[in-house]
Each structure stands twice: as structure tokens, then as C-alpha cells.
Amino acid sequence: MYTEHFGLSELPFTLTPNTHFFLNMPTHHEALNLMLVALAGGDGFVKVVGEVGTGKTLLCRKLLNALDNDEYVTAYIPNPYLSPYEFRKSFAQEIGLDVNGLEDFDLLNAINQRLVELAQSKRKVVLLVDEAQAIPEETIEALRLLTNLETETTKLFQVVLFGQPELDELLSQASLRQLLQRITFSYELSHLESEAVEHYIEQRVQKAGFTGLSLFKKEASRKIAKASAGTPRLINILAHKALMVAYGKGALNVESSHVVRAIEDTQGIVKTKDSRPLLWGAISCLLLVTLYLVYIGVNQ
């Protein structure tokens, strides 16, 4: 691969959510700080929404790493397309319960007892649900009922939901209004502006070991920003492909021509139309009209 050619210690634009490359951008730091404050304050539900590829899973893992293991017990469910029983079973396993042979009623009692034990030992339990827009409606209701487990003074566990905008549509249903009212903090991740994309690319290559002044030329970064519409996942795909093109040509920097090749090879992005054929077509038409007018004038 191109790492040695560009003086990198690792690939800077992989799609795996690696917290080493956490977005050093205001929108993601604000979301992280909001969640940490909400959890420290004991709020029951927190929701983070973002379009596909905006870094929700990476943010989720960053939050997991930020929670002190001595103070928090974390439960992580990456794929919540589960029945109510399967969801409770997954949660129980995440908080350290042996669920073999437990039916639904006994499972619920075991969860309650385990949560009380953790609360008595001054440990907070946080459930993080990724791709929350995929939770079946009956399972969301089961989650709401599960959060009814509490002492006289505090909730026995807190919930952070990460999801696409469809999550908001799901929670807006009248049947789920009770859960919606329990969400005390909500944050929407936005796409990156053009200048932020340049910083994002620079940050990734530096964390990957690049020590030069600038691996990506400004115009190359701007083309990536425009084509990706500021979506981190698409930025990674285009930047990775552009590096491969530059490496194949023996270049030491990524230029706009390399990005153009990457754009042509990638689906689901904004492809810039080449205006040159249209321009030459207009010029040709203008010349033909001019010649015709001259011809008419000569023959009158």
C-alpha cells in the first residue's frame, strides 16, 4: 500500500471506526461533551442523530472509552433489530448476567437485582444503542418499561440512542410519546463545511504519521469537500482513493487531478460535470451563426 511512499505509519482513511482518528471538530466535541454532562447529571435518555456516514458509531465508541470503568458499567448494543426478549437478554449479558435458562419474567427480575446491586456499589449503568432507528416499535416500548426500574432517588440506568434521522420519525409516533418525553438532551450531527473538511483531512494524515507540510493540495481538499458534501465516510473513501492514484503516478502530493479520478470511481457522491464540452459546443454554434450571417450579407 502507499503508507511507506507518503511516510505514513498507518492508513489514515479506513472506514473502521477508530477512536484514534476521532473528529477534532466542534460539532462532534459538542456532542461528546453534551453526553458526558447529561450522564454525569443522571438524565435518563440522550439522543444523537446524524445522517449516514457522519460519524455516529465513532462518537459512540469515543463515549465508551471516555466513561470511567470504576464509575460506569457500560452496555453496548450495535444491532438493536431485536425482539423485546432478545433486547433484554442482550442488555443482561452486557451488564454481566448469565442468562442461560432464564425466561422473560425471571430475566427481568435478574436485571432488576443486578442493577440494584450496581447502584448500591455506587456504579452507574449506561446503555448505548447504535443504529437505534432499526429498533422495532414494540422493543422501544419494552426499553421504556425497562427504564422504569429505579430507586426512590435515581434511575437504575441511563440510555444513549444513536441513530439516523429516521429515529426522529419513529419516536414521533403517538404510541411512543411517553419515551419521547423522557429524552432530556438531543443533538444532531451536521455535515462538515469546506474549510472543516480541509482540517479533517490534515488531522487524519498527521495522526497517521505524516510529518510534512501538506499531503493534500488545497484544491484537492476542496474537490473532496464538494463531492462528499462534507460527509466523513465519503471523505475517507475519496481521500483513500486519491492517495492510491497519486501513489500509482509516483506523486508526493495529492492534487486535484488525482481526486477527479477518485470521484469518477465512486458512487453516491456529487460528481462535478465537465463544462468544457458545453463551452466548446456553444462556441461552435456561435461560429456557425456568425458564418451564416456573413454568408447572407455577402449574397444580398
Side-chain angles (χ1 to χ4, degrees):
M1 194 54 74
Y2 52 70
T3 50
E4 185 176 346
H5 176 76
F6 292 112
L8 303 169
S9 57
E10 59 183 311
L11 294 173
F13 298 105
T14 60
L15 298 183
T16 305
N18 184 346
T19 55
H20 175 61
F21 292 110
F22 178 67
L23 294 174
N24 188 24
M25 299 293 157
T27 178
H28 288 74
H29 272 298
E30 285 174 8
L32 180 61
N33 289 336
L34 172 74
M35 291 185 290
L36 290 172
V37 169
L39 294 177
D43 292 286
F45 274 88
V46 181
K47 173 172 64 71
V48 176
V49 169
E51 276 289 356
V52 175
T54 50
K56 297 182 298 297
T57 299
L58 181 58
L59 183 60
C60 179
R61 294 191 179 181
K62 184 70 174 179
L63 177 62
L64 280 169
N65 292 346
L67 296 176
D68 191 326
N69 290 333
D70 292 330
E71 183 179 357
Y72 291 95
V73 174
T74 56
Y76 175 52
I77 299 181
N79 180 13
Y81 187 67
L82 303 167
S83 69
Y85 173 74
E86 291 170 335
F87 192 92
R88 284 189 285 265
K89 185 177 178 181
S90 296
F91 178 53
Q93 289 173 323
E94 285 289 304
I95 59 175
L97 286 172
D98 181 2
V99 298
N100 290 329
L102 292 180
E103 296 300 329
D104 205 16
F105 180 75
D106 293 329
L107 177 61
L108 189 58
N109 282 338
I111 290 173
N112 187 39
Q113 183 177 349
R114 174 63 174 159
L115 291 173
V116 169
E117 290 173 357
L118 291 170
Q120 289 174 343
S121 61
K122 306 299 182 184
R123 301 190 72 190
K124 297 179 179 179
V125 177
V126 179
L127 169 61
L128 294 92
V129 183
D130 203 0
E131 302 294 347
Q133 76 282 347
I135 307 178
E137 186 176 338
E138 64 272 18
T139 303
I140 289 189
E141 178 61 13
L143 172 60
R144 183 188 69 82
L145 294 174
L146 195 60
T147 59
N148 285 338
L149 300 175
E150 57 189 1
T151 66
E152 290 184 357
T153 58
T154 185
K155 294 285 185 183
L156 289 177
F157 74 101
Q158 299 164 276
V159 181
V160 184
L161 302 174
F162 296 86
Q164 296 170 19
E166 291 82 359
L167 176 60
D168 285 333
E169 297 176 18
L170 178 63
L171 296 177
S172 66
Q173 297 182 51
S175 59
L176 297 176
R177 63 187 181 280
Q178 292 189 61
L179 187 145
L180 185 62
Q181 291 173 359
R182 293 190 183 186
I183 297 175
T184 51
F185 287 95
S186 182
Y187 194 92
E188 182 174 355
L189 295 175
S190 59
H191 294 277
L192 303 180
E193 300 293 335
S194 182
E195 186 176 344
V197 171
E198 293 181 43
H199 290 313
Y200 172 81
I201 292 172
E202 288 296 322
Q203 173 193 305
R204 300 276 300 206
V205 296
Q206 287 172 9
K207 288 194 173 184
F210 183 71
T211 56
L213 293 177
S214 182
L215 181 54
F216 283 72
K217 295 290 183 68
K218 261 193 175 304
E219 187 57 34
S221 296
R222 287 171 183 164
K223 281 189 181 296
I224 291 175
K226 185 174 182 180
S228 66
T231 303
R233 183 181 298 165
L234 293 178
I235 295 169
N236 286 359
I237 291 172
L238 290 175
H240 172 63
K241 288 183 177 181
L243 281 167
M244 291 180 68
V245 173
Y247 169 64
K249 292 183 176 296
L252 295 177
N253 295 95
V254 176
E255 300 181 1
S256 59
S257 60
H258 304 142
V259 175
V260 170
R261 289 290 303 276
I263 292 170
E264 291 171 349
D265 186 60
T266 306
Q267 294 182 329
I269 60 171
V270 180
K271 289 183 170 63
T272 304
K273 292 182 179 179
D274 191 348
S275 61
R276 286 174 297 179
L278 183 62
L279 175 63
W280 284 113
I283 292 173
S284 298
C285 288
L286 181 60
L287 286 172
L288 287 173
V289 170
T290 303
L291 289 172
Y292 177 74
L293 292 174
V294 170
Y295 174 79
I296 293 295
V298 170
N299 289 278
Q300 280 183 347

